[in-house]
Amino acid sequence: MLSKRLDHITPSYTIEISTKVSELKSQGIDIINLSIGEPDFFTPDQAKNKGLQAVKENRTKYDAAAGLKELRNAICNKLLEENNISYELDEIVVSSGAKHSITNTLMALLDPGDEVIIPKPFWVSYSEMVKMIGGVPIYIETKKDNNFKLTSNELKNAISSKTKLLLINNPSNPTGAIYTEEELRSIVNVVLNNDMYILADEIYEKIRYIDKFTSIAALSGEAKEITITINGLSKSAAMTGWRVGYSASSKKIAKAISTIQGHLVSHPSTISQWAAYGALTLCQDDMAQMVDVYTKRRDKAVSLLSEIDDISFINPQGAFYIFLDVSPFKDKFSYKDSYSVEFCKRFLEDYNVAIVPGIAFGIDDYVRIVYCADIDDVEEGIRRLKEFIKSL
């Protein structure tokens, strides 16, 4: 007799794709995987060495629920120097990945029935996290001609007496769009006028191809007070398996998050935290070099996709994804529930390339490809996509 909350949880489309890819590979089929948002780089050596040093020095005992003091200090310095936001040590909580930081935050803020506004397209787990906590996801249809970025008017129209939180991803997964300072100020003004919080997922902040990035909490003291900033090392330092993320918020919210975390997991792995400390303090050049490579891959991918007739896409300013509009081919498919799932299924089965259906992000006319993979795989995957679309 399982919990009834599982009746409302949608299985992960990305895990379903990964399972299918593994199944095909086990049959000896060579698959080009452009579906998983995981850097193909390895963790920088100086970060790994900090983790190894921690093991050798037996730093393997329990520590503070909110995370290592040294790591939280490094995070405070990062936020001040890079984002122009001043935080104190007790306003930072380190968790087992950004996903864990988001879940902790939702647990700290939401009561059953509270509404969370989520603009479409959204990262696949946002809505399921909200539902698991007992909250109600409220989706906003954004516009392609605005690169699917939320506007203040769209936000106003979605707010109700039950609205507790706005969840915003900047840079965006899956579009790679980045909000301007003016756009964010307009959104923050609406939130402030309606007694809400903002959960700002900025996990891709360092992977961007424009000079300026504005953190929401940096806009003003009022904005900082209502914003919970989420970030981590998985994407920027290629540390996905180490599982280190963090939240920055007011003292009251941080204390609540720390209390919840203390009961659930005590704290993240101390070894992983020392490696994250090494990444933040010693690996800035490594992270910048990764972004240089992503920039070249993005430019190549955009150039190749531009040669394909009848598709369009959001030109990414950050992250490492491209969101493709494949709606012109809907009449070429027979499907029951989801066009994008069927599109991706046929592309995988007929051309051995894995990509993600747009329905996973709330928009069924689109698919997502990644370019955080080997450039030869990216080029070959797009070449096969061109063949697939030509066949349609």
Side-chain angles (χ1 to χ4, degrees):
M1 299 191 333
L2 298 177
S3 165
K4 285 184 170 38
R5 67 165 53 90
L6 290 171
D7 296 339
H8 306 288
I9 305 301
T10 303
S12 170
Y13 288 99
T14 52
I15 291 177
E16 185 177 335
I17 293 165
S18 296
T19 302
K20 181 66 174 177
V21 168
S22 297
E23 178 186 322
L24 292 172
K25 284 185 174 181
S26 70
Q27 298 170 15
I29 301 172
D30 186 19
I31 302 296
I32 293 177
N33 193 350
L34 301 183
S35 68
I36 302 301
E38 179 172 39
D40 63 329
F41 296 101
F42 293 115
T43 302
D45 286 342
Q46 293 187 90
K48 290 188 287 188
N49 288 340
K50 278 293 181 184
L52 290 170
Q53 181 184 349
V55 173
K56 291 176 181 178
E57 295 178 357
N58 293 313
R59 297 180 179 181
T60 56
K61 301 295 186 180
Y62 285 132
D63 209 284
L68 297 175
K69 181 178 179 180
E70 292 86 349
L71 177 54
R72 285 183 287 147
N73 268 323
I75 291 168
C76 287
N77 291 336
K78 181 266 180 213
L79 291 167
L80 182 60
E81 294 170 7
E82 297 183 12
N83 305 100
N84 196 32
I85 321 170
S86 177
Y87 283 101
E88 297 181 21
L89 206 64
D90 58 357
E91 296 176 315
I92 307 297
V93 180
V94 183
S95 301
S96 298
K99 187 182 287 188
H100 186 202
S101 297
I102 293 170
T103 306
N104 282 341
T105 301
L106 294 174
M107 291 182 71
L109 294 180
L110 298 184
D111 289 315
D114 283 344
E115 294 179 351
V116 178
I117 293 177
I118 305 176
K120 289 185 178 183
F122 49 81
W123 177 57
V124 295
S125 291
Y126 288 154
S127 57
E128 309 314 308
M129 290 173 170
V130 170
K131 288 187 283 186
M132 282 191 286
I133 302 303
V136 180
I138 302 296
Y139 306 111
I140 294 183
E141 302 285 346
T142 56
K143 294 182 175 58
K144 179 182 179 181
D145 59 11
N146 192 42
N147 290 334
F148 291 118
K149 291 189 286 186
L150 176 69
T151 67
S152 56
N153 284 334
E154 290 167 343
L155 176 58
K156 286 177 186 175
N157 293 332
I159 293 173
S160 77
S161 60
K162 296 182 179 179
T163 305
K164 189 72 168 285
L165 178 70
L166 166 65
L167 208 165
I168 191 165
N169 185 202
N170 183 37
S172 165
N173 174 10
T175 68
I178 295 178
Y179 286 82
T180 66
E181 180 178 340
E182 293 71 26
E183 289 168 335
L184 292 174
R185 286 192 182 279
S186 180
I187 289 169
V188 166
N189 287 337
V190 174
V191 173
L192 287 169
N193 290 332
N194 286 275
D195 195 24
M196 297 162 50
Y197 290 106
I198 298 175
L199 195 159
D201 181 357
E202 299 180 357
I203 189 69
Y204 295 100
E205 166 225 356
K206 292 181 77 70
I207 304 173
R208 65 180 192 273
Y209 318 112
I210 59 175
D211 290 335
K212 187 174 182 182
F213 176 83
T214 302
S215 286
I216 293 176
L219 292 174
S220 66
E222 288 179 309
K224 179 186 171 187
E225 189 65 22
I226 63 166
T227 300
I228 303 89
T229 301
I230 306 294
N231 212 321
L233 283 301
S234 289
K235 311 298 184 179
S236 60
M239 295 183 68
T240 50
W242 296 86
R243 309 311 304 137
V244 180
Y246 61 85
S247 59
S249 61
S250 69
K251 293 180 188 296
K252 182 178 180 179
I253 294 174
K255 183 178 180 181
I257 291 172
S258 183
T259 299
I260 289 167
Q261 177 161 285
H263 285 295
L264 291 179
V265 299
S266 294
H267 56 73
S269 159
T270 52
I271 306 307
S272 292
Q273 289 188 71
W274 279 113
Y277 173 79
L280 275 179
T281 58
L282 300 172
C283 300
Q284 294 301 314
D285 289 344
D286 299 270
M287 290 188 268
Q289 288 169 12
M290 292 181 202
V291 175
D292 287 342
V293 173
Y294 292 139
T295 304
K296 293 183 178 70
R297 291 176 180 174
R298 180 207 59 160
D299 293 346
K300 185 64 176 179
V302 165
S303 174
L304 292 173
L305 288 168
S306 298
E307 298 173 0
I308 302 178
D309 293 334
D310 298 321
I311 68 165
S312 57
F313 54 88
I314 307 302
N315 196 356
Q317 296 178 310
F320 34 58
Y321 310 106
I322 302 180
F323 205 43
L324 301 170
D325 183 351
V326 292
S327 59
F329 313 104
K330 291 182 81 168
D331 62 349
K332 305 294 183 181
F333 289 82
S334 174
Y335 57 93
K336 181 180 179 182
D337 298 314
S338 168
Y339 161 58
S340 60
V341 167
E342 185 62 27
F343 185 100
C344 292
K345 179 183 176 184
R346 278 184 50 184
F347 188 38
L348 177 58
E349 291 176 348
D350 296 349
Y351 289 83
N352 297 335
V353 181
I355 59 177
V356 183
I359 191 65
F361 311 101
I363 302 183
D364 200 31
D365 286 346
Y366 283 71
V367 297
R368 190 198 74 177
I369 69 170
V370 307
Y371 51 90
C372 54
D374 183 271
I375 187 59
D376 291 338
D377 284 346
V378 174
E379 291 185 23
E380 177 61 18
I382 294 175
R383 186 191 67 79
R384 294 185 193 181
L385 178 64
K386 185 175 183 177
E387 286 185 11
F388 179 44
I389 289 176
K390 186 177 179 180
S391 75
L392 297 176

